[in-house]
Amino acid sequence: MAEKVQRVRGTQDLYGEELARFDHVVETFNRVRKLYGFRRVDVPVFEFTSVFARSLGETTDVVSKEMYSFEDRGGESLTLRPEFTAGIARAYISNGWQQHAPMKLAAHGPLFRYERPQKGRFRQFHQLDAEVVGAAEPAADIEVIAFAAQLLRELGIADRVTLQLNTLGDAETRAAWRDALVAHFSAHADSLSAESRERLAKNPLRILDSKSEGDRELVATAPGIDAFLTSDAGQFFDTVQRGLEAAGVAFVRTPALVRGFDYYRHTAFEFVTEHLGAQGTVIGGGRYDGLIGSMGGPETPAVGWAGGIERLAMLVAEPEREHVEVAVVATGDAAQGYALTLLQRLRQAGVAAEMSWRGNLKKKMERAGSSGADFALIIGEDELALSEVTVRNLATGTQERVRMVDVVAALSGDVEA
RNA sequence: GCGGUCGUAGCUCAGUUGGUUAGAGCGCCGGUUUGUGGUACCGGAGGUCGCGGGUUCAAACCCCGUCGUCCGCCCCA
């Protein structure tokens, strides 16, 4: 087999417009999270494997097949983080952060999952993450969802995304509902798809979002969670729904929206779009009151979400191209020296400027044009002799002579205007 | 893990009854214009047709494998 220089499957080399979209998503996230008082947190890219294995349950496919786990030189089993939540929960426990509770935390960065790549699905991918740790109040659920909704609005994609909302109730609710579902589906097991029969044993809630046409009927007649909600759980969900209405966040009650892991409680939500094929969830989250306790920490209620940066980036409008404001064009050795001085003065005055390095005047002007600069500053022997600079507006093609001493001030004014 | 699709210049793609030196547009470089970009015209560079093997006198084209892409499924923390 011939050796070929290529990137690892499911990874990306980001540049140009793609990266501009990516950065735009992250910058918007950072701006909006400040409005909501979420503070940045940064946790390691790898952790002891037990951090993720324990939080997810040892036997799941996720742990056994979909994590990048390896042994380091000291013989420790480590895993590249497949999610933020477990790492943040671990940090909360390790550092005794309960003293800061409730904490409103925001993170973003690369995550790793060994999966079959598709559009919007990579092996190294990136997420935004928001968590409120140490708050049992439904107000926290409302807050994280409102944050996500505003993020989507400010990204300009709110009209292409729908908020689906559900409750999984408290532990008691969940157990009772689960039993009822198992009873319902077991009674009709012969008409379930083969895959859903598997789920019946491993993860019965997941039958509810089965894509099999044949399962739909059974799902439609399955018991809903509402009949099993304890009064506390029902009240909690009511408060969340009323709060979202008060906050002006539209949602659709989606009874089939479930989570596979036991530590999820109460609120579950996803912002979904129909514009990305099968990878339609752009932000997903919920309340995970059971997680930190199950990892060996103090029983700590928490709620949060994660959003796929690549998927969000695919939905946002093309950002304006990054470009310098001024291109300095010099001809002749004497002018070259002066141009360097001018170039630095412009930059120090806060004007984005660059200078073409090669070619004759024509080439340098071409370069200036394709750089997207608003102005070209032309300095040759004529200008130098008069201590002037030719300022050419590259959009209109008009140009004028400006005294060298006035150029920086004139341009910083023009560029800002 | 399963099924399907596709893989030709930097990019988007054309190119079958298998047949001599593999094409276009855009981009890039140079020129028409040796102090002026964006338009126009002229010219040029750039490809072991993903990779490996097979069939054949002959393979970009057919077959097998492999790597990668995309679309579903599974999974979805």
Side-chain angles (χ1 to χ4, degrees):
Chain A
M1 198 197 312
E3 295 260 339
K4 197 180 170 188
V5 178
Q6 62 178 25
R7 64 173 182 256
V8 173
R9 183 176 207 188
T11 62
Q12 326 173 65
D13 301 312
L14 292 169
Y15 176 74
E17 188 197 323
E18 266 185 317
L19 189 54
R21 291 166 171 276
F22 193 100
D23 284 344
H24 175 63
V25 170
V26 175
E27 282 162 16
T28 306
F29 172 72
N30 251 319
R31 183 160 50 74
V32 176
R33 61 103 183 149
K34 288 178 192 167
L35 301 175
Y36 284 76
F38 281 68
R39 302 184 63 182
R40 284 274 287 119
V41 64
D42 212 13
V43 293
V45 166
F46 51 84
E47 297 271 0
F48 291 117
T49 297
S50 57
V51 168
F52 304 112
R54 215 184 296 162
S55 72
L56 297 170
E58 309 275 354
T59 59
T60 61
D61 282 7
V62 167
V63 171
S64 56
K65 301 183 194 161
E66 294 177 15
M67 298 201 310
Y68 277 96
S69 297
F70 59 98
E71 201 170 279
D72 74 3
R73 288 167 189 272
E76 303 280 9
S77 178
L78 305 180
T79 294
L80 299 182
R81 63 181 181 198
E83 59 161 328
F84 275 110
T85 307
I88 291 172
R90 191 234 84 224
Y92 185 89
I93 298 168
S94 305
N95 299 307
W97 280 346
Q98 60 264 38
Q99 67 182 313
H100 301 306
M103 296 180 92
K104 300 202 290 186
L105 299 172
H108 62 83
L111 304 170
F112 306 84
R113 296 181 188 176
Y114 190 84
E115 295 186 294
R116 187 81 170 256
Q118 286 178 35
K119 194 180 201 70
R121 185 177 204 179
F122 302 91
R123 288 183 170 180
Q124 177 179 336
F125 61 103
H126 302 78
Q127 285 189 340
L128 309 171
D129 186 83
E131 314 281 354
V132 177
V133 185
E137 295 85 352
D141 305 55
I142 296 162
E143 178 121 319
V144 295
I145 294 172
F147 172 12
Q150 182 159 350
L151 171 64
L152 295 172
R153 204 156 49 240
E154 303 219 2
L155 286 171
I157 60 179
D159 57 338
R160 306 171 75 182
V161 171
T162 304
L163 170 57
Q164 301 184 337
L165 182 74
N166 197 21
T167 180
L168 302 170
D170 50 25
E172 188 185 330
T173 302
R174 189 183 164 109
W177 183 43
R178 184 189 156 111
D179 289 347
L181 284 174
V182 170
H184 170 76
F185 289 121
S186 298
H188 304 88
D190 45 340
S191 35
L192 274 179
S193 65
E195 279 137 1
S196 286
R197 253 173 279 147
E198 283 273 315
R199 294 184 182 110
L200 190 51
K202 292 199 311 199
N203 201 349
L205 300 199
R206 280 284 171 199
I207 298 174
L208 294 176
D209 55 35
S210 168
K211 284 169 184 163
S212 156
E213 200 56 52
D215 290 346
R216 294 269 164 77
E217 246 177 86
L218 278 178
V219 168
T221 58
I225 192 171
D226 290 6
F228 299 88
L229 286 175
T230 61
S231 69
D232 281 355
Q235 209 165 35
F236 190 98
F237 192 42
D238 279 346
T239 305
V240 170
Q241 291 180 87
R242 277 190 278 109
L244 289 174
E245 281 158 15
V249 177
F251 62 88
V252 176
R253 174 71 197 279
T254 309
L257 177 62
V258 294
R259 293 274 107 102
F261 295 103
D262 284 341
Y263 55 75
Y264 282 103
R265 306 284 154 76
H266 296 293
T267 315
F269 60 92
E270 290 186 0
F271 289 86
V272 300
T273 180
E274 295 185 340
H275 295 83
L276 294 178
Q279 266 58 54
T281 299
V282 293
I283 288 180
R287 179 165 276 281
Y288 51 96
D289 291 349
L291 176 63
I292 292 176
S294 78
M295 289 175 71
E299 282 303 325
T300 306
V303 58
W305 53 256
I309 297 178
E310 285 86 356
R311 294 182 195 175
L312 291 166
M314 283 189 274
L315 291 175
V316 299
E318 182 179 349
E320 195 187 339
R321 209 189 122 205
E322 201 171 297
H323 63 86
V324 296
E325 295 153 321
V326 171
V328 174
V329 173
T331 75
D333 292 341
Q336 203 75 30
Y338 188 78
L340 269 173
T341 305
L342 181 60
L343 183 64
Q344 287 310 105
R345 279 198 206 141
L346 284 164
R347 290 164 168 171
Q348 282 154 17
V351 177
E354 67 178 346
M355 183 161 80
S356 311
W357 296 326
R358 62 177 63 148
N360 55 22
L361 182 65
K362 177 184 164 62
K363 290 299 160 200
K364 287 174 175 172
M365 284 301 294
E366 276 177 14
R367 203 83 197 159
S370 62
S371 76
D374 303 308
F375 297 95
L377 295 195
I378 303 163
I379 306 166
E381 285 173 20
D382 299 353
E383 285 85 354
L384 208 52
L386 297 168
S387 286
E388 291 181 344
V389 173
T390 296
V391 178
R392 181 178 178 87
N393 182 320
L394 288 170
T396 64
T398 59
Q399 60 185 48
E400 60 179 330
R401 290 292 189 92
V402 176
R403 291 190 304 157
M404 279 180 178
V405 292
D406 297 331
V407 161
V408 173
L411 280 173
S412 36
D414 273 348
V415 164
E416 277 162 24

